[in-house]
Amino acid sequence: MLFIMICCMPILAHAQETAFVTGKITDVNQAPIFLANVAIPDTQYGTVTDEEGVFKLEIPANEDITLIISYLGFEQITLSLRLQPGQTHEIRQVLRQTVQNLDEVTIREQHERATTINRIDIKTLDMLPNVSGNLETILGTMPGVSSRSELSSQYSVRGGNFDENLVYVNLIEIHRPFLVRSGQQEGLSFINPDMVSSIKFSAGGFDALYGDKMSSVLDITYRRPVKFGGSASISLLGGSLQLEGASRNRRFTHISGFRYKTTQYLLSSLETQGEYNPNFYDFQTLLTYRLAPEWEISFLGNIALNRYHFIPETRNTDFGTFQNPLNLRIYYEGQEHDRFDSYTGALTLQYAPSNRLSLKFIGASFYSVEQEHYDILGEYLINELDNRLDSETYGDSILNIGIGGQLNHARNDLNAFVYSAAHLGTLITNRSTLKWGARWQQERIRDKISEWEMIDSVGYSVPYTGQTISLFNVHKWNHRLFSNRLTFFMQHTTTFESNNTMFFLSTGIRASYWDLNNQFLLSPRVTFSVKPDWKPDFIFRLAAGYYYQPPFYKELRYPDGTLNPDLQAQRSIHFVLGGDYVFTAWDRQFKFTTEIYYKHLDQLVPYKLDNVRIEYAGENLARGYVVGMDMKIHGEFVPGAASWASLSLMKTEEDIMGDYYRTEYGNLIEPGYYPRPTDQRIMVGIYFRDYLPSLPDYKVLLNLIYGSGLPFSPPNIPRYDIQFRMPSYKRVDIGFAKVLKRENASLKDGNPFRHFKSIWISAEVFNLLGVRNVISYTWIKTVSNQDNVPGAFAVPNYLTGRRFNVRLTARF
């Protein structure tokens, strides 16, 4: 004991001569400021904030200290301190911008512009006309992003599918349900917009910190409050309540949110009429406690309860062409009961032994309980319509060309357990940052499939044999899957300067292993950026890397429901060349961003897309490519209101090995390359905000999306080259808002809104133009004709029509 005391005496003596200043630096929106400088001028005492805006600085004790907090584009703060030996003093400071502009237009710091990660201003979420209530709605206007259903939070990026996108909340990877097949069934996404402080998104070429998916990454950071507050919102589509607060010494903070959503009002505009009863609930909380200046523990929890009950009654759909107009009428019996419940919990322990070193240890679990049960009989009539404009019976049925019924049955149950343990580390030096991490993940999945379809056409069962009655498309399996994954990454970022030109270099590598297929993967990645010393503010980027996507459970399933445990990882090699140009127009700053990219794809698992359900081939059968260009201009087209417009051009094709076939004359045909299901050639997104100049509390917000038609193919056929094109997707949502109380405004004592921080009411028009957008097709199959050719009609399934909504939102 005496020996230990003697050894510790120099340390104790040093502690008596110094003190510590800790704290967090944020902007006016409570978003953390990364790499803000905290220093004592003209001394060696200084540090920078981490990605959460937190810092710790050792300073001399018993001295009058001047502490300066600064960040490019923000006002500098000067503090005077005098601390006792061994004392720890905590501060919370808010930096204000020196000019009124946007965080995405302002040069926040050169390192962020040098990467392919783009920051989205959280202020754009306020008053956004949003059908789904999900944060992902704003991504639909981003370059390279395609979102074709207002009922779903799923999106595809640069030719990838929904399963190729990474989503993180506080560096914890988020999982979503497996069995959802349509936007009607889908509830709220994991991300609660009321709790968000930072949104970062990359459409490709992202760092080794993120993995392992092939397309994109969405990195969300939740807010850490400094005082009591909250928000509440209610509309025709549901409501939300969010509360936050901190202890007096701010060592403990909490933020929680409850959301309720119902789409009954929206679904009543669909072609299929009936009794819709969708109810979606979500509760989420983030608790943080600082155990000591070096130690902090936090817990992120989520409970999502999603119920979808549907009793269909009738459907009446006109389709076909002007020369051959058709009508489908269906009378239903039966109902559908779906359940998608998920539970997420993550515990994070952070240790910062010095002001430049951060170590995190994360334990997380995800549990999903999913049920898809339905028995629905649909008896249909297909009629040809009178297309003669001068006819008294124009638009009426003149000939019946199909009659029959379809009985669909499913008892699908899935339970999924995902456990993980991870370590993340960050070491910051003067000119470089080193990040590393390791992760173990275990998956336990139980899947029971019982699904079949019976088709009757004019009294004949399809497929028709003349002898027996057969069911169509039968799947009955009971799967259990148990596996472990190991991943590791290391990433080094450095900056250097030559002749007033700044250079940024980020190199990294990821390694992963999965014990189910015994595959070991290595993924090198690099980003190089240059900021010349030019009067026009340009920065140029080049990113390249390997992006492997090891299969998860859905990819392992063959179309017949059996599993392929030997399936290998898909691979995408990214090449991204891009740049930013920040310029001034109308005395306001704007930012123009463009990226040209090429992705080489191999070991692909082909798939077919139906609504939001992806049916994989279950084998590595294809190779392919993606080539495209993204452009975006962002700025205050109207002073004080953020807006942007994006344009994307993209082409993606694949070649399935061994997909040749022979014609009726015996000729061998090899289809070669043909479009992938996400081959959307043109995408346009516009988000525009405006207000009345003389009445700035009256605001207008417009959200416009255009996407050219996607390819689709008939289900239950082995060939992928038989394709058609959907009509283009066109949608405009608009909102009109009246601010009843602005933030920091003072109201008279009798005003009922004086107790709120801010409050506004908005009227929203969804699908303003009333466009009938197609999300998928229902295939009506009939018995073979006289030439023994089976008939099939592709009947479009339309999305929601024009709807009105009223929303009241308050913050306190």
Side-chain angles (χ1 to χ4, degrees), residues 340-626:
F340 304 99
D341 296 347
S342 61
Y343 307 85
T344 301
L347 193 64
T348 301
L349 179 65
Q350 180 175 345
Y351 175 55
S354 71
N355 53 16
R356 296 183 180 272
L357 177 64
S358 172
L359 305 174
K360 289 187 176 182
F361 305 89
I362 304 173
S365 64
F366 169 77
Y367 175 47
S368 182
V369 181
E370 305 177 33
Q371 295 178 350
E372 186 183 39
H373 295 179
Y374 58 80
D375 288 285
I376 298 178
L377 171 65
E379 298 173 314
Y380 67 84
L381 296 168
I382 300 178
N383 296 322
E384 184 177 339
L385 304 180
D386 188 354
N387 65 346
R388 296 170 297 172
L389 296 177
D390 58 348
S391 173
E392 294 182 356
T393 61
Y394 175 74
D396 293 340
S397 300
I398 58 175
L399 178 66
N400 178 262
I401 59 176
I403 184 172
Q406 292 186 207
L407 176 59
N408 294 284
H409 166 88
R411 292 294 185 272
N412 299 328
D413 298 274
L414 184 143
N415 289 355
F417 302 82
V418 181
Y419 309 99
S420 65
H423 164 63
L424 299 173
T426 301
L427 177 63
I428 300 175
T429 60
N430 291 333
R431 285 283 186 173
S432 65
T433 300
L434 178 66
K435 295 186 177 183
W436 67 90
R439 186 169 184 251
W440 163 80
Q441 178 173 297
Q442 184 180 94
E443 299 143 17
R444 300 183 180 187
I445 297 175
R446 298 197 297 265
D447 186 17
K448 183 178 180 181
I449 307 170
S450 178
E451 187 175 329
W452 52 262
E453 182 180 358
M454 181 177 181
I455 300 177
D456 172 77
S457 177
V458 201
Y460 293 89
S461 176
V462 178
Y464 176 67
T465 63
Q467 298 179 347
T468 61
I469 297 178
S470 302
L471 296 176
F472 184 83
N473 200 22
V474 180
H475 302 308
K476 284 185 176 293
W477 299 99
N478 195 343
H479 298 304
R480 291 178 178 266
L481 185 68
F482 178 86
S483 64
N484 295 277
R485 302 175 194 261
L486 295 174
T487 58
F488 169 81
F489 81 88
M490 181 170 289
Q491 176 182 305
H492 180 258
T493 303
T494 185
T495 62
F496 53 94
E497 185 177 357
S498 177
N499 297 325
N500 294 324
T501 297
M502 293 297 299
F503 298 90
F504 306 86
L505 178 63
S506 178
T507 57
I509 191 167
R510 287 191 69 88
S512 65
Y513 173 76
W514 192 27
D515 65 0
L516 187 68
N517 59 9
N518 292 316
Q519 186 179 22
F520 176 79
L521 303 170
L522 208 59
S523 306
R525 303 174 189 179
V526 61
T527 301
F528 179 69
S529 302
V530 179
K531 188 181 187 306
D533 185 25
W534 297 348
K535 188 174 182 180
D537 188 357
F538 282 97
I539 190 167
F540 303 97
R541 295 185 298 271
L542 175 64
Y546 281 69
Y547 296 83
Y548 286 97
Q549 181 160 330
F552 209 63
Y553 177 69
K554 288 170 62 176
E555 293 96 318
L556 298 177
R557 281 173 51 169
Y558 286 107
D560 64 0
T562 57
L563 297 184
N564 178 12
D566 298 321
L567 188 70
Q568 301 294 292
Q570 302 178 85
R571 185 175 68 174
S572 176
I573 305 176
H574 292 200
F575 301 93
V576 182
L577 176 63
D580 297 344
Y581 171 42
V582 176
F583 61 96
T584 301
W586 306 299
D587 295 325
R588 297 186 295 275
Q589 282 190 324
F590 290 82
K591 180 179 178 182
F592 177 74
T593 303
T594 183
E595 288 187 341
I596 301 172
Y597 59 90
Y598 176 81
K599 297 195 287 189
H600 174 76
L601 312 174
D602 58 8
Q603 291 295 309
L604 291 178
V605 181
Y607 62 89
K608 292 184 179 182
L609 188 60
D610 181 17
N611 204 309
V612 297
R613 185 184 191 184
I614 301 175
E615 183 181 90
Y616 290 95
E619 296 182 85
N620 302 103
L621 298 175
R623 60 187 178 186
Y625 69 89
V626 185

Side-chain angles (χ1 to χ4, degrees), residues 708-752:
S708 57
L710 288 170
F712 71 98
S713 58
N716 305 315
I717 62 172
R719 287 175 55 184
Y720 287 80
D721 62 308
I722 301 177
Q723 292 184 338
F724 309 93
R725 285 271 177 180
M726 292 184 183
S728 59
Y729 180 86
K730 299 175 284 289
R731 185 176 179 88
V732 178
D733 296 331
I734 191 169
F736 304 90
K738 170 63 172 74
V739 179
L740 303 176
K741 181 183 183 297
R742 283 176 288 176
E743 191 171 341
N744 300 322
S746 298
L747 301 179
K748 296 180 180 179
D749 291 341
N751 195 310

Side-chain angles (χ1 to χ4, degrees), residues 117-285:
I117 292 286
N118 296 302
R119 186 180 294 271
I120 301 174
D121 186 3
I122 61 171
K123 292 183 294 185
T124 59
L125 301 179
D126 292 343
M127 308 179 194
L128 172 71
N130 192 343
V131 175
S132 66
N134 296 320
L135 178 142
E136 290 84 352
T137 298
I138 200 68
L139 297 180
T141 60
M142 293 292 151
V145 181
S146 173
S147 177
R148 290 187 55 89
S149 174
E150 64 273 10
L151 296 174
S152 173
S153 63
Q154 306 308 318
Y155 54 92
S156 60
V157 179
R158 291 181 177 175
N161 66 36
F162 310 141
D163 294 333
E164 297 176 13
N165 304 313
L166 282 164
V167 178
Y168 291 91
V169 173
N170 287 20
L171 297 179
I172 297 162
E173 185 175 351
I174 303 303
H175 303 276
R176 63 187 183 92
F178 297 84
L179 295 182
V180 173
R181 69 175 69 206
S182 70
Q184 292 93 308
Q185 301 170 321
E186 189 176 322
L188 293 156
S189 73
F190 183 94
I191 304 167
N192 187 331
D194 297 330
M195 301 170 62
V196 172
S197 68
S198 171
I199 308 171
K200 294 188 288 186
F201 178 75
S202 175
F206 42 89
D207 291 335
L209 167 66
Y210 305 109
D212 298 285
K213 296 289 179 74
M214 294 195 299
S215 290
S216 75
V217 58
L218 177 63
D219 188 358
I220 300 294
T221 301
Y222 277 172
R223 186 168 59 253
R224 182 178 298 184
V226 296
K227 61 181 181 179
F228 175 77
S231 64
S233 178
I234 187 169
S235 75
L236 299 178
L237 304 179
S240 64
L241 175 65
Q242 175 262 321
L243 297 173
E244 61 185 56
S247 62
R248 181 173 299 180
N249 59 7
R250 294 178 179 172
R251 294 179 63 180
F252 173 73
T253 66
H254 67 90
I255 181 170
S256 302
F258 172 79
R259 293 179 292 169
Y260 168 71
K261 172 185 171 182
T262 175
T263 54
Q264 186 175 26
Y265 171 59
L266 290 172
L267 299 181
S268 63
S269 66
L270 298 179
E271 298 282 315
T272 301
Q273 297 296 302
E275 184 180 336
Y276 290 93
N277 188 22
N279 291 285
F280 311 114
Y281 305 88
D282 171 273
F283 175 77
Q284 203 159 154
T285 187

